[in-house]
Amino acid sequence: MDFKNSLPMYLIGGALILFIIAQSLFFLIKAWKRGKELGLSSATLRSTVTTSVLFTIAPAIAILTTVISLAGALGLVLPWVRLSVIGNLSYETVAATAAMEALDHAGGMAVEVTDQTLFATIAWVMTVGSIFPLLLLPIVAKPIQKKLNTAVAKSKSDLPDILAAAAFIGLIGAFIARAIAGSGKDEIIGDGAGVLSIITLVSAIVISLILETICKKAKAKWMQPFVMPLSMFLAMGIAVVAFNLLPPELALLEWRG
Amino acid sequence: MKKQRPYLDRVHTWGRISSLTTLCVMLMFPAAICLYLNVWPSFHDVFSGLIKIIPLFWTTAVIEVVSYTPVLGAGGTYLSFVTGNITNLKLPCGLNAMESANVKANSEEGEVVSTIAIATSAITTTLILAVGVLLFSPVLPHITAEGSLFAPAFQQVVPALFGALGAGYFIKHWRISILPIVVMVVVLVFSGGIPTGTLVPIGVVVSLLGAFGMFKLGWVGSKKTDAAAE
């Protein structure tokens, strides 16, 4: 049995997941009681729950896709835990890749990790890299909330929104740029930029924009959350089709190695 | 009812306890893996991985904490940061719920609705992930194995993921997007093997400086983003 997906790994992961669910339930119950005290109707509170469940399904499937995609290299349990606690769709791939690069794991995410020490190192890097907000929040959340709550409500500037978007674009942009012009190791398929990475990237973007437009035109707000996961799956499907339809020398062409 | 501290103060106390316990429990996770596998990675190796992501992740953490706290409410903020996936899930979910329930973000009703929404979302995500992982565990080795029909899909997962995730952002903020992507492609043309961990901070810094410059020049900002706002 692969050590990454063994029973003890599942038990360790399961314990953490239960801990997270318990916390969420605690906050849910406390807020629900407070809502009643404030005079919010049961109907409002119930519909908040229903809306949120529906809203969550599609992004959660996208997160599940990330878990599964990371699982090729890291097994299921580590990505599962990392994306259930603190984790984030885009950061976890960055963190795992950084750890692999630090230890010269050739091929990055495209190659399975079989070395136990490397695996443990990746687990440490992914964890420690992500925990900072939990150190920060207990100290700053209360003062921020008290002061900024009023300031932000009054402020008209959208600089904070723009900077948040810019930081995010810089982060995703690195992966986009790699798919266009990054070089990989010669012996590994799918590591460097090439025909297949461009086809996949362009498909993902185009499909996502088409779906986005359909949503707007058809005023189908319910469809919005499905745009991202659907585009991703379809682009991966197109990669499979392109790989099988194109002549091998073209499908495997990676201009940067 | 006996006299209690204000609800918000109690939420902050619970939130602090929750953040700190999660912090400890989370650190026990890699420790448990080490105990189970009986391998102990060197501090040097862990550090050399961390040094590539900490400058970015920890700075982003500060920005996120500062920018999301006022919007998500106290309970929502603590829970969001504990369970993660804020930008792509908890934040839009919380905002969506407050809009549907017709309550303001900085009212106590908003606080309650946001907390319920984010808690529900966290539980739903956790369950979907758990069920998905259990369902996929038997088939996974077959679909990712080299030579399998689906192997190319998994080899190209990064472009698919980031293309789908980025498309909306690039269109909405196309002025901001062009500069960092062009700069990074140029960097890669000259140094194709530059690790992603090094490329990401370059991209973020270029993007932030570019966006700030454009804001100062009036290219992006108030009226221009209004039309495109979510």
Side-chain angles (χ1 to χ4, degrees):
Chain A
M1 179 87 194
D2 179 10
F3 72 90
K4 300 190 287 296
N5 296 319
S6 61
L7 184 64
M9 282 295 293
Y10 274 102
L11 293 178
I12 296 171
L16 262 163
I17 302 303
L18 283 180
F19 173 72
I20 291 303
I21 292 187
Q23 275 198 38
S24 308
L25 275 176
F26 173 84
F27 275 96
L28 178 63
I29 293 166
K30 291 288 184 188
W32 190 286
K33 282 189 181 150
R34 183 62 188 165
K36 289 294 223 178
E37 285 170 23
L38 288 170
L40 291 170
S41 70
S42 295
T44 310
L45 297 178
R46 268 202 301 272
S47 99
T48 301
V49 170
T50 323
T51 320
S52 306
V53 170
L54 290 177
F55 190 94
T56 303
I57 294 174
I61 292 174
I63 299 167
L64 178 63
T65 323
T66 318
V67 172
I68 292 164
S69 61
L70 292 176
L74 299 174
L76 276 165
V77 179
L78 176 58
W80 172 38
V81 167
R82 288 304 315 110
L83 281 151
S84 297
V85 195
I86 324 170
N88 180 305
L89 208 109
S90 30
Y91 295 176
E92 296 312 320
T93 320
V94 182
T97 314
M100 289 174 175
E101 280 165 354
L103 269 88
D104 293 323
H105 172 67
M109 291 318 284
V111 175
E112 187 183 353
V113 172
T114 46
D115 181 77
Q116 299 192 344
T117 315
L118 173 63
F119 181 74
T121 310
I122 295 171
W124 276 107
V125 172
M126 290 172 94
T127 307
V128 178
S130 67
I131 55 172
F132 193 53
L134 297 187
L135 273 172
L136 212 56
L137 273 184
I139 307 165
V140 301
K142 197 172 177 181
I144 288 182
Q145 187 129 46
K146 292 248 147 106
K147 285 186 190 130
L148 273 184
N149 231 345
T150 40
V152 165
K154 281 178 199 153
S155 138
K156 286 276 180 279
S157 167
D158 39 23
L159 185 62
D161 291 345
I162 291 172
L163 290 183
F168 193 63
I169 287 167
L171 176 89
I172 339 178
F175 288 88
I176 305 276
R178 262 197 74 90
I180 300 173
S183 55
K185 299 247 169 14
D186 285 342
E187 65 278 15
I188 294 153
I189 305 166
D191 183 27
V195 174
L196 224 46
S197 72
I198 296 280
I199 291 179
T200 317
L201 174 68
V202 173
S203 313
I205 294 180
V206 171
I207 295 170
S208 152
L209 294 178
I210 294 175
L211 292 177
E212 198 82 47
T213 317
I214 297 176
C215 275
K216 283 217 180 85
K217 288 263 147 70
K219 300 214 164 48
K221 224 179 166 184
W222 61 269
M223 209 178 110
Q224 194 70 39
F226 296 92
V227 170
M228 190 260 155
L230 203 58
S231 320
M232 178 175 168
F233 284 128
L234 288 175
M236 286 168 80
I238 289 176
V240 173
V241 173
F243 179 82
N244 288 295
L245 286 188
L246 291 174
E249 65 276 11
L250 194 59
L252 291 175
L253 177 67
E254 291 176 14
W255 39 78
R256 303 301 305 277
Chain B
M1 199 169 81
K2 69 172 190 281
K3 193 160 164 46
Q4 275 186 318
R5 289 188 305 142
Y7 176 71
L8 268 181
D9 283 350
R10 282 182 287 147
V11 172
H12 281 293
T13 309
W14 302 328
R16 284 170 174 168
I17 296 171
S18 138
S19 301
L20 293 175
T21 38
T22 309
L23 183 72
C24 299
V25 170
M26 220 30 240
L27 286 173
M28 277 153 55
F29 173 63
I33 291 179
C34 289
L35 275 177
Y36 158 57
L37 295 176
N38 198 21
V39 289
W40 295 90
S42 74
F43 176 78
H44 172 265
D45 287 346
V46 174
F47 185 76
S48 48
L50 278 176
I51 197 72
K52 293 185 172 188
I53 56 167
I54 280 192
L56 170 74
F57 282 22
W58 291 27
T59 321
T60 324
V62 175
I63 300 173
E64 286 185 345
V65 167
V66 172
S67 37
Y68 297 153
T69 309
V71 198
L72 291 172
T77 302
Y78 288 111
L79 211 48
S80 292
F81 280 97
V82 162
T83 55
N85 285 299
I86 305 177
T87 352
N88 54 319
L89 176 55
K90 304 293 160 41
L91 181 69
C93 182
L95 295 177
N96 184 44
M98 286 189 278
E99 201 182 297
S100 306
N102 211 2
V103 291
K104 285 217 175 68
N106 35 16
S107 64
E108 205 170 321
E109 287 81 3
E111 161 78 35
V112 164
V113 168
S114 163
T115 307
I116 293 178
I118 289 165
T120 310
S121 176
I123 296 170
T124 312
T125 314
T126 315
L127 292 180
I128 290 180
L129 286 186
V131 171
V133 162
L134 293 181
L135 286 181
F136 266 97
S137 53
V139 287
L140 185 82
H142 305 290
I143 52 178
T144 55
E146 211 167 316
S148 120
L149 178 65
F150 297 103
F154 286 90
Q155 282 154 1
Q156 298 304 334
V157 70
V158 172
L161 170 69
F162 287 96
L165 197 62
Y169 268 87
F170 296 143
I171 294 300
K172 196 191 291 173
H173 304 281
W174 62 272
R175 286 187 176 83
I176 306 177
S177 309
I178 296 170
L179 180 72
I181 294 180
V182 169
V183 169
M184 283 186 283
V185 168
V186 171
V187 168
L188 283 169
V189 166
F190 287 102
S191 164
I194 186 172
T196 316
T198 316
L199 193 60
V200 167
I202 298 177
V204 173
V205 170
V206 169
S207 184
L208 283 174
L209 290 176
F212 187 71
M214 288 179 201
F215 179 79
K216 285 284 162 202
L217 289 169
W219 293 5
V220 291
S222 50
K223 53 182 184 298
K224 275 177 185 132
T225 45
D226 272 358
E230 271 169 301

